[in-house]
Each structure stands twice: as C-alpha cells, then as structure tokens.
Amino acid sequence: MIRMNTQYAELKESYLFFNIAQKTQAYLRENPGKHLLRLGIGDVSQPLCPAVIDALHDAVNEQAKKESFHGYMPECGAPYLRETIAAHYGRRGVTLSADEVFVSSGASDELGDILDLFDKSSAALVIEPAYPAYVDANIMAGRRIVHLASGRENGFLPMPDDTADADIFYICSPNNPTGAVFGRAQLQAWVDYANRRGAVILFDAAYEAYIEDETLPHSIFELDGARTCAIEICSLSKTAGFTGTRLGYTVIPKTLERGGMNLHAMWVRNRTTKTNGVSCILQKGGAAVFTDEGRAQIRKQIALYKHNAKTLTDALDKIGLWYCGGKNAPYIWLQCPDGTDSWTFFDLLLRNVQIVGTPGAGFGRCGEGYFRFSTFGDPDDTAEAARRIAALLG
Ligand code: PLP
C-alpha cells in the first residue's frame, strides 16, 4: 500500500494569515463599506519599475521571432544574469564566480527545495520570531527543529551558544518579522560557530536592499569564513516588486563542503534534475533591475516604503511605544501597549481604527505581546493609519 508523508499531519493549521482574513472579513460583513488600512501582509503595493517593464516587453517580442526565440534555458540560470548578479556582489566587495549564483523562481521555492541537500536526521535551528516557512518546511521533511527564542533584551538578535545544537541554521537579516539586522561582529560570531560545528547557515537576505546603515552587512559573504559554511538565498520580490512576477537567486560557494560532499556540485545536480530553468522572459526583466537605470528606479521605490516606515515610527515615537525595525528593514515590530496580547491588540486596531496588522504570536511563541506593521502599503493609507494610531494610543 502507498505510504504517505505523515509529517504533514504534524503541521499546525496556517493559523496566522487565515485567522487575519477571517477576522477582517467578519468585520467587513458587520461594517460594509468600511475602508481598511492594510499594514498586515508583506506584499508590495508599487508596480514594477519602467526599466523592468521595457525589458519584459522586449523579451516577449524576442520570443515572437524565429531568430531571437529561446527554448529551454540553462537550468541554473542564464549566464548573462548570473554574471550580472556576481558583478552586483562585486560592487560590495564580495567576489563570486558567476556559476556560484543560481537563478531561482524566488526565495520561498529555494528555502523549501534547498533542504534536499541535507539528511532528514540533521536538525534545523530557527531563530524566533521567524518567517513561518522555515519551521513548516522542516516539519514536512521530518526534521528536528531547535527553536531559539529572541527578545527585546537582545534586540531580537540572539548570539550562538551551545544550546544551538543543530546542523542547519536559519538566519534572516534584515529580519521578518522584527526588522532587526545583525551587525558585522554578531554575524561573524554565527559564521565562526557554524564553521566550528560543521553546520550550514541558510542566510535569508530577502530584505537586504532595505539596509541603509552601510556598516551593516548586506550579504553573509562579506564575513570571513562564510564561504565554507553559508548559502545565501535572495529575492527580487521586495527589492524590485517581483512578488507576483517571481525571480530570485541563491549563492552557493564552490568551497562549501560537508560530510565529504560539495554542496555546490550537489545543487547543480539537483537543479538540472528538478527544474528546466526560470523563464527567459523573467530573467531579462530581472537583469534590468541591476542596470544603472533599474537601480535608480528601485531606489525610488524603496525610498517610498522607507517614507512609510518613517511616518509610522514618528507616530510610535510620539506615543512612546517600544519598537525595533523600520530603519534598515521594511517591517516595524512593536510591543503591544499595557501588556496586551497580540490578538487582542489586532482586534483593538481593527475595530477602533480599521487598521490591519499582524499579531506577533503568529511568528513563534516569543512573538506574543508584539505586533508587526508592514511598510509596503499604500502611502496615503499608511499616513492615515499613523494619524489614527497616534489618536487612539497617544
Ligand atoms: N524570506 C522571507 C524572510 C520573506 O519574508 C519572504 C516573503 O515574504 C520570502 C523569503 C519569500 O520571498 P519570495 O517572494 O522570493 O518567495
């Protein structure tokens, strides 16, 4: 008889966004026509920039002509895009060869697929509060999970110690949901610890484009020793509005070896078996992000989201609520007032000022008592939300 992966029965209901949707729908049924100010889900509100749109149109037109038509693309990515991304790292002082860059359909796919490289018996360390996919992907694979709680006392940036008894370390910096960013010395401590233990760091850099303090590392490969312990997973979703278009990239150094195996070679084998590459049209669009024109245009877009962040943090400063993030990250993580729990605070904001945020409890147990605002929303709605928060809690 067929045997199913019973690990799926171990997954908790995707309670967070489901519950948010249920509560907001119920509110709208009771209050038809009310406009909700959505600071909850981490999706972008601005369209793709003109440089990307032009490149996408050109790429579609190429597909219409026999002489420029592309069939299957190389599985690990178009050479021109791999070179472009390696050159992007080079501008930050990180030397990569183009074939250490793998073009992907986005970070979510990679965060799940990359686990193919590791045996089921290897344990995964998840720093919480955390992006929920890390935990779920490892539950599906039947892997032991070590939850490392962080909190206000360490600025949501915990340091490694021997309780971090795991083989695969998830580090997300800038962090979703807390907006906290590891400094160089802190990240170096994780790199050194991973090398000492023989662990592998999965470094989620989905929000690196939001770093404005140039002393903070954008890439784990800015740290000494990262080439022997880390994989970096990146995305154009929040950098350039590709959430619906789908494009990302993953860096695996050729020097990364564990258990006598080379992880770069393993991933080449994995990709050539399990994918036929990313759409040539999207890769052309993605390459436009890294041109001078594209970079200038996405900087403007990121500035708009940063303006949203400033609007919200100004209101929080006025009220005197504790928060982190919002400066080098598109998320603001605040402590709910007066010891309120995060779902009660969610209801309070929804019912009194029609603001939808995300309760911290959805990101792990230590997220209880905290709340996440996304800064990806519409600027007018964000400004109105800031006014209402100040009036309600000020
Ligand atoms: N990693 C983190 C921390 C995220 O917050 C997200 C999306 O919100 C992703 C990865 C997924 O990004 P992508 O759209 O590239 O799949």
Side-chain angles (χ1 to χ4, degrees), residues 42 105-109 111 131 134 172 174-176 204 206-207 233-238 242-243 246-248 331 372:
S105 301
S108 281
D109 308 40
L111 284 163
Y131 181 57
Y134 305 153
C172 178
N175 188 269
N176 178 10
D204 185 339
Y207 298 103
I233 295 178
C234 297
S235 165
L236 294 185
S237 283
K238 311 301 164 71
F242 273 65
T243 51
R246 311 302 304 144
L247 201 72
Y331 296 113
R372 189 191 79 173

Side-chain angles (χ1 to χ4, degrees), residues 56-96:
L56 289 172
H57 281 303
D58 290 347
V60 169
N61 289 336
E62 280 179 12
Q63 290 297 79
K65 297 185 212 114
K66 191 162 187 293
E67 49 296 358
S68 53
F69 168 79
H70 293 284
Y72 286 124
M73 297 294 287
E75 294 91 341
C76 298
Y80 66 84
L81 183 54
R82 300 177 87 184
E83 277 156 25
T84 297
I85 295 169
H88 167 70
Y89 276 85
R91 281 194 288 273
R92 293 224 187 91
V94 173
T95 305
L96 298 177

